[in-house]
Every structure is written in C-alpha cells, then in structure tokens.
Amino acid sequence: MKYLKHKDLTVILDFLTMDEIDILETYIGEAKWEESPGDEHFSNTITSPSVGQIAQGIRDRLKSTIEDNYACNLSDESLATFVKYRPGHGLRLHYDAVLVDDETGEEKIYKTFGGYPSIDISSTIYLGKQFTGGEIHFPRLDITYRPVCGSAIIFPSSMEYEHEVFPVTDGDRIMTSVFWHKLRDEKN
C-alpha cells in the first residue's frame, strides 16, 4: 500500500483493490439514496448480502491497518453506510470526538456507532471517480487532501485534527466513514 503521513494523519492511496472499487461502484450506481432529515447529504445503507460481505472484509482490513499503524486495539464497528455529497454540499469545521452546540458552545462527547463511549480515531474510505471540489482540509495542520477513489484517510478524532470538507463543485463525492474507540489495554 502507498502511504502519505503527517503526524498521526495517514492517507493510504490504494486502500481498495480495483475489484472492490468496481463492485462497490456498481452497487452505488444502482442503490437507492435517502435524504436524512436535517442533513443535506444523501446516504445508503448496504442491503446486499454480497456487498455486505465485501464491506466487512474491507472493514476488517481497515481495523487491522489502523491497529498496526497506531499500536492500539480498536472497538468492533461496522462499515454499513455510504454518504453522497452532491454539488454545493460540504461539511463545516468540526472534529469527530465531540459535537459542539453552535448556540451554547456546549460539548457533547460522541459515541461510536457500535455504542462505545468515545470516538478516538476517524477513518474514511473514498469512492466516486468523477467529482471536483470536496477536499478535506485540516487547518491546524495546514493540510488539504483531495480524495481519490479507493483511498482511505485515518486520523485521531481530537481537536488538533479539526477538519472541514469544501463544497463539491461538480459530480458526486461518495465515501464511507468508520469511527473507532481505542480499547484500553497493554498496547495503549
């Protein structure tokens, strides 16, 4: 695998195989996308058993890669939903460990989708070959990454890795994220 690293931010340029990309892109092209109330993005939960098996294998490889590169043990999470950013859609500046109320400034610690008490490591896998815009920007690190189909980005969910997604200008930016909790053990 081809890695780009800066501090604890890791980009794996060729995380997905060409076969995985082809299967997932076919599924995504035929999938029914749903708008979430209060969210401008569209999502698709995997319903195909065969695609679900492929997603589970990708998730297992992602978990193992993170555990090896970050010397930790992670919670069991699932890779089950794709998200589509359409033209004009992006994501405001945030970090994944907490939700900050815009009005009160109150912080709420996010749990993982699997129910673990905190999000410690964020990971995103990118699909979609035909889009412009949609770069992920980390202002505290002065890094901007333009997602490439088949790549993965991994980083701590802390404030130092606060990020935003610039609006997509053309096409559909498709991705899936998995948020992980570091289990407390002898590796940590």
Side-chain angles (χ1 to χ4, degrees), residues 2-3 24 26 29 33 49 77 99 106 112 120 126 129 144 159 168 175:
K2 297 176 188 169
Y3 289 81
L24 295 175
T26 298
W33 292 89
E77 302 295 333
L99 171 65
E106 184 179 332
T112 69
D120 301 313
Y126 297 100
K129 298 174 185 168
T144 301
M159 186 181 280
V168 172
M175 42 75 67

Side-chain angles (χ1 to χ4, degrees), residues 110-123:
Y110 270 130
K111 292 183 179 183
T112 69
F113 294 132
Y116 288 86
S118 64
I119 295 174
D120 301 313
I121 296 178
S122 302
S123 61

Side-chain angles (χ1 to χ4, degrees), residues 33-154:
W33 292 89
E34 297 181 12
E35 208 167 356
S36 301
D39 187 353
E40 61 187 22
H41 306 102
F42 287 81
S43 64
N44 170 270
T45 301
I46 297 171
T47 56
S48 163
S50 61
V51 173
Q53 285 182 333
I54 291 166
Q56 186 64 28
I58 292 167
R59 188 229 52 124
D60 291 347
R61 189 169 74 242
L62 182 59
K63 180 180 179 183
S64 175
T65 299
I66 295 169
E67 288 178 335
D68 290 347
N69 282 284
Y70 290 80
C72 63
N73 285 332
L74 298 174
S75 56
D76 283 325
E77 302 295 333
S78 64
L79 187 158
T81 304
F82 296 107
V83 175
K84 181 190 297 189
Y85 289 64
R86 297 176 63 208
H89 295 169
L91 194 57
R92 67 182 176 89
L93 190 62
H94 69 286
Y95 62 106
D96 296 329
V98 301
L99 171 65
V100 179
D101 185 292
D102 289 336
E103 292 181 22
T104 67
E106 184 179 332
E107 294 184 354
K108 175 185 172 190
I109 296 175
Y110 270 130
K111 292 183 179 183
T112 69
F113 294 132
Y116 288 86
S118 64
I119 295 174
D120 301 313
I121 296 178
S122 302
S123 61
T124 300
I125 297 172
Y126 297 100
L127 293 161
K129 298 174 185 168
Q130 302 294 327
F131 69 93
T132 56
E135 297 88 351
I136 185 169
H137 175 67
F138 297 85
R140 294 173 189 262
L141 302 175
D142 194 27
I143 291 176
T144 301
Y145 173 65
R146 187 202 182 296
V148 175
C149 183
S151 68
I153 189 167
I154 304 160

